Amino acid sequence: QPPRPAGPATRGRHRSSRSGGLAELLVPQVAQQFVALPDYSLASPGVLEDADARGSSCAAFAPFAEDQALLHCQDCSTPILKAEDIISPNYRIMIGPAYLTSAAYNITVSEETHEAHYTTGQYTVRNVFCARCSLRLGVTYIGALDRSNSYKVGKYLVGQHLFVRPACCLLRSRRLPAGLPTPLCLRCQRTAARGVLQFVQLMTSGLQCVGQTRELYELLLRQHVLEYIAEPRVKSARRRLLAAPRALMAWCLPLLGPPCVGGAAAERLRQLTMAGVEPAEAMQQLRADLWQETLRERFAMLACMRPLIQGEYLAAAFCSTLRFASALSRAAHGTAPPGSTAPDRVPVLLELLPALVASGHSGALRSARALVLAIRKEWVVGSSSGGLSARFPVLTASEMEAIVDAIVFHTAADVAEVARSSSRC
């Protein structure tokens, strides 16, 4: 059996680049990190103590594309195999079932050779080890006594039970939904970091729009304070001594005061603060609604995705956005501090709706129809067929009514704006 050509990996990279940035941006890893954005830290290379170790670990992912399915070493989670390089899973080795694969990465091969007798014949082999933890993975064929087995020379025979696929790498799978938040491997961390930084760039116009930058900062600050009040012991001692008191005092400073945005909980917080109630006590009383409202206001800033979404094929873009909204809601439910409530997927979608309805008479109607079809596919049919939204129940009548009313409102507003512009002309 001849080995598979190396073409699929190259075609996969070209396919990712052709699909545009939206499909790579609206993934569950980014949703998980976006919800936890107040805890995200930035550092230049060499600032962190483990920078060298992280750099070498990131180098282990260099041979792989972002969307390739990988198998990792079970002991140290170093990526070893591409799923597309596996020629056959129907082999056996001394330790049990094995993969015959055309390539392996991040490995070391012993210099000593030895003869091995398998059911298919006699071979000259060398042992193969994980380059990071030295776990013995299997062998590589150096020679074959039977000429009919010579196609195996240069390939690898590795034990199946020695490999795992991290749960975070399965988050994109429609057939196997995973709970959020989940620990991220280095590749998924890189994907999440790149995605949230791209969102920050879009939301703040590259930090050049002072108003949007200030609004984002204040929302992150408010979320951090609410989470600190709910769970003060989860933060480090340094952050408890410095970050939280500074954040609490910021509520009393005019420059860093609460943002002037809508929301019943935010308005009640301002009223309590003006009445002389301590900020910490006021937020303690309102955190059940204020944390969710803060998160929803930050989700509303994602309306900046409108140029990206409208530049894509609408059906695919809307399906990706709906899956992203589900992932945001699941991540929020998994990270909500005690005493706080998290937004469901329908409120998240309503915050993202301005980015989904196109401008113009024909564009608004076309995007509204495409959005309704995408909702039916992802949240009505998909919820009952084991898709990514399977952990959510089917939409209720009230939720469907809220979605339809919101779509009609935004569509009518865009159509009316076009009509007013035409009349002025």
Side-chain angles (χ1 to χ4, degrees):
Q1 181 179 0
R4 294 184 179 181
T10 304
R11 290 197 296 269
R13 291 191 183 93
H14 292 318
R15 184 170 58 250
S16 291
S17 61
R18 285 199 306 265
S19 64
L22 190 63
E24 295 298 322
L25 183 62
L26 302 181
V27 293
Q29 294 92 332
V30 177
Q32 174 176 320
Q33 187 63 68
F34 186 79
V35 171
L37 189 56
D39 291 331
Y40 185 71
S41 60
L42 298 176
S44 299
V47 174
L48 298 178
E49 295 179 356
D50 59 346
D52 293 337
R54 291 180 62 85
S56 60
S57 299
C58 290
F61 288 89
F64 311 108
E66 291 291 337
D67 57 349
Q68 285 182 320
L70 306 180
L71 297 179
H72 297 235
C73 172
Q74 68 169 4
D75 284 359
C76 64
S77 297
T78 298
I80 305 292
L81 302 178
K82 297 178 183 178
E84 63 188 25
D85 288 336
I86 297 176
I87 299 173
S88 175
N90 300 321
Y91 280 73
R92 294 192 63 84
I93 201 171
M94 295 293 294
I95 52 180
Y99 294 119
L100 178 65
T101 178
S102 60
Y105 304 86
N106 301 310
I107 59 170
T108 57
V109 180
S110 64
E111 297 182 358
E112 298 81 8
T113 63
H114 62 275
E115 298 298 318
H117 297 271
Y118 299 136
T119 56
T120 55
Q122 181 176 346
Y123 303 88
T124 303
V125 298
R126 288 179 176 170
N127 292 328
V128 174
F129 304 90
C130 173
R132 184 176 181 184
C133 67
S134 300
L135 175 67
R136 184 176 181 274
L137 302 173
V139 298
T140 179
Y141 295 99
I142 304 301
L145 183 62
D146 190 347
R147 182 176 298 180
S148 62
N149 292 325
S150 59
Y151 72 92
K152 297 180 183 178
V153 175
K155 300 178 178 57
Y156 300 85
L157 188 66
V158 292
Q160 294 184 14
H161 73 284
L162 299 175
F163 296 93
V164 296
R165 191 173 180 195
C168 59
C169 296
L170 298 172
L171 289 176
R172 300 190 193 195
S173 173
R174 298 286 308 281
R175 295 171 297 175
L176 184 60
L180 292 178
T182 186
L184 301 180
C185 66
L186 289 176
R187 184 175 67 158
C188 291
Q189 288 178 16
R190 184 175 59 188
T191 299
R194 182 169 57 245
V196 296
L197 291 179
Q198 186 174 350
F199 274 137
V200 170
Q201 181 185 24
L202 291 172
M203 289 187 294
T204 62
S205 301
L207 301 180
Q208 294 182 1
C209 181
V210 177
Q212 293 174 338
T213 303
R214 181 189 178 205
E215 180 182 355
L216 177 61
Y217 168 75
E218 291 173 342
L219 290 173
L220 295 175
L221 181 61
R222 188 199 302 177
Q223 181 180 344
H224 170 71
V225 172
L226 291 170
E227 292 172 353
Y228 171 79
I229 292 175
E231 296 180 287
R233 288 176 294 180
V234 301
K235 307 297 182 183
S236 64
R238 185 172 183 271
R239 294 186 70 180
R240 286 201 303 269
L241 292 174
L242 299 178
R246 185 186 307 145
L248 289 174
M249 287 189 298
W251 288 92
C252 302
L253 299 177
L255 181 61
L256 301 178
C260 297
V261 293
E267 180 61 29
R268 290 199 302 272
L269 176 64
R270 285 193 288 269
Q271 293 175 358
L272 290 174
T273 304
M274 293 176 61
V277 180
E278 291 293 330
E281 182 180 352
M283 286 185 287
Q284 183 77 19
Q285 298 176 11
L286 300 175
R287 70 168 186 246
D289 298 324
L290 189 57
W291 188 85
Q292 176 183 164
E293 193 170 279
T294 301
L295 215 56
R296 289 181 59 178
E297 290 172 11
R298 190 149 60 86
F299 292 163
M301 296 185 70
L302 294 178
C304 61
M305 294 191 303
R306 185 172 187 172
L308 291 178
I309 293 176
Q310 301 302 328
E312 296 276 340
Y313 177 59
L314 284 184
F318 287 169
C319 288
S320 297
T321 305
L322 291 173
R323 291 195 291 268
F324 187 71
S326 296
L328 284 173
S329 179
R330 286 166 52 194
H333 278 81
T335 58
S340 300
T341 57
D344 292 327
R345 56 180 175 171
V346 173
V348 173
L349 173 63
L350 299 184
E351 300 294 346
L352 299 177
L353 206 55
L356 303 179
V357 179
S359 58
H361 183 279
S362 60
L365 297 177
R366 181 170 59 91
S367 60
R369 179 180 183 276
L371 180 56
V372 170
L373 293 176
I375 292 173
R376 178 183 181 276
K377 175 183 177 182
E378 294 294 328
W379 286 0
V380 178
V381 178
S383 294
S384 58
S385 61
L388 187 63
S389 304
R391 293 196 174 189
F392 288 97
V394 178
L395 291 175
T396 63
S398 60
E399 290 175 330
M400 290 184 181
E401 183 178 356
I403 293 175
V404 172
D405 290 345
I407 293 176
V408 171
F409 172 80
H410 285 281
T411 305
D414 281 333
V415 172
E417 180 63 27
V418 172
R420 285 192 297 269
S421 300
S422 301
S423 62
R424 286 195 297 266
C425 295

